[in-house]
Amino acid sequence: MYSNEDYLLELLTEAGLVTVEEIETTRSQLKGRESVVERLIGSNRVSEEQVAQVCAQSSSMEYIDLEHTPIAPDMFEKIPDDVAKRFRAVPVYDDGTYLTVAVADPLNFEVLDGLPHILGREINPICATASAIAQVIHQNYGGDVSEEATESEFTVVTEEGAEEASADDAPIIKMVSTMLLEAFKMSASDIHIEPLETTLRIRFRVDGKLIEVDNHPKKLHPAIIARIKVMSGTMSIAEKRLPQDGRIQIRVAGKEVDLRVSSVPSNHGESIVMRILDKTSLMLGLPELGFLSDDQETVRKLIGLPDGIILVTGPTGSGKTTTLYGCLNTINKPDRKIITVEDPVEYELPGINQVMVKTDIGMTFAAALRAMMRQAPNIIMLGEIRDEETATIAIQAALTGHLVFSTLHTNDAPGAVARLAAIG
């Protein structure tokens, strides 16, 4: 599957390898997940080598014939097997300055940008055929992720019980299960399923950065969206005009994982974002959060205070919620009453009263916070300070003997002051 197939088809047309009419005819004959380029190769209209050479020429890269290129065995230690399989890339040569890497899709800029970041060094990308790269990976890394591994590690938890992945599952069910499993293995915080004009783009947010991991034919969009809604158990398949929220519980490799699902209608169809909430992160203490020893002691003193307000700031996906829950997990003792207000409740914490915001019936952050003050809590956690009323009540609570935790969407800690001033 090529990341920018429309542009690649233009290049093949300009090179005189195919005509516009042949492309349209081939497009009408597609089946399943097959792409136009794959269909053209399968029907022997163009060869895989021709496609790779066109890609290489347009990207000013060298083309390499991997089948007749010897690669030293120790080279495969340069790229971990999961990275090689995910990016469809294999190491070829290392001159000490640049690591020469053969890639199957040089038009995928996420690969070219992501590999140097993950490997921690500069690369010299060259182009090879997808089948040659797959063969090298199979021979030296043990092949791709097998369906058996996916099936044995992935379970959807529903109200009726556990729904385990099976070899008899429909292709769409397998595709969605594999996508969720891959996101978990990559430690992604979000999964973005975005319909474009002619394709369906899948992106993961890893370490705060979005990475494009797959592209599917647009015709698979309705089936994938329907499967995700069915897994949630609460989202309507028939409703495509209004935003919807839902929740999916899965068990991956023995770990309980929650997915917070949000769908929004866009100009090309429904766009879905799934927030991955790994329950094992709840057990984090301050050392596991990555604090240095001096900072850890400072934070421990702060969260041990009887009153005040502690704000966790940072951009999307930076770990604000994980940090808050880690702090609450540290100070959650039987002699303290802890109440949280969240939109929605992301994790269920034992021994803590958690309140979910429901704005449609008037249960806002401010309304919930006012009610909580009559519950005589020691510690209050607000999912987010969004408006002046919520900020005012939170600060008043901090000034009247309560310890308040909350988050602010700012890029750094000093920005919290400006943000609070802007709120009012």
Side-chain angles (χ1 to χ4, degrees), residues 225-264:
I225 299 299
R227 170 58 183 165
I228 292 171
K229 289 183 175 181
V230 167
M231 291 172 67
S232 75
T234 57
M235 301 173 72
S236 171
I237 298 177
E239 182 56 73
K240 302 177 181 179
R241 302 164 299 171
L242 296 174
Q244 296 186 67
D245 293 312
R247 193 168 190 154
I248 299 172
Q249 285 187 304
I250 61 175
R251 189 178 297 117
V252 182
K255 293 183 178 180
E256 297 287 343
V257 179
D258 279 356
L259 304 175
R260 196 174 71 193
V261 186
S262 171
S263 73
V264 174

Side-chain angles (χ1 to χ4, degrees), residues 140-267:
N140 296 277
Y141 291 110
D144 297 326
V145 177
S146 66
E147 290 184 1
E148 289 77 12
T150 301
E151 292 159 9
S152 64
E153 296 178 15
F154 186 87
T155 305
V156 180
V157 181
T158 63
E159 292 182 358
E160 291 77 18
E163 175 190 324
E164 294 190 3
S166 165
D168 298 326
D169 284 342
I172 290 296
I173 296 178
K174 286 184 180 179
M175 185 189 304
V176 173
S177 298
T178 302
M179 175 182 65
L180 297 180
L181 181 63
E182 185 68 18
F184 178 80
K185 289 183 175 180
M186 291 173 62
S187 300
S189 60
D190 303 281
I191 301 172
H192 295 250
I193 302 174
E194 303 161 319
L196 305 179
E197 186 175 359
T198 59
T199 60
L200 180 66
R201 181 172 64 181
I202 310 295
R203 296 195 290 176
F204 297 162
R205 187 180 296 278
V206 181
D207 295 331
K209 181 180 179 181
L210 279 173
I211 299 175
E212 185 172 331
V213 295
D214 214 342
N215 270 276
H216 299 300
K218 182 69 176 291
K219 62 182 181 181
L220 296 181
H221 174 245
I224 292 176
I225 299 299
R227 170 58 183 165
I228 292 171
K229 289 183 175 181
V230 167
M231 291 172 67
S232 75
T234 57
M235 301 173 72
S236 171
I237 298 177
E239 182 56 73
K240 302 177 181 179
R241 302 164 299 171
L242 296 174
Q244 296 186 67
D245 293 312
R247 193 168 190 154
I248 299 172
Q249 285 187 304
I250 61 175
R251 189 178 297 117
V252 182
K255 293 183 178 180
E256 297 287 343
V257 179
D258 279 356
L259 304 175
R260 196 174 71 193
V261 186
S262 171
S263 73
V264 174
S266 69
N267 56 333

Side-chain angles (χ1 to χ4, degrees), residues 57 301 360 423:
Q57 184 177 3
K301 289 180 180 178
D360 55 335
I423 289 175

Side-chain angles (χ1 to χ4, degrees), residues 391-403:
T392 300
I393 300 173
I395 292 174
Q396 288 175 351
L399 294 173
T400 53
H402 303 86
L403 181 60

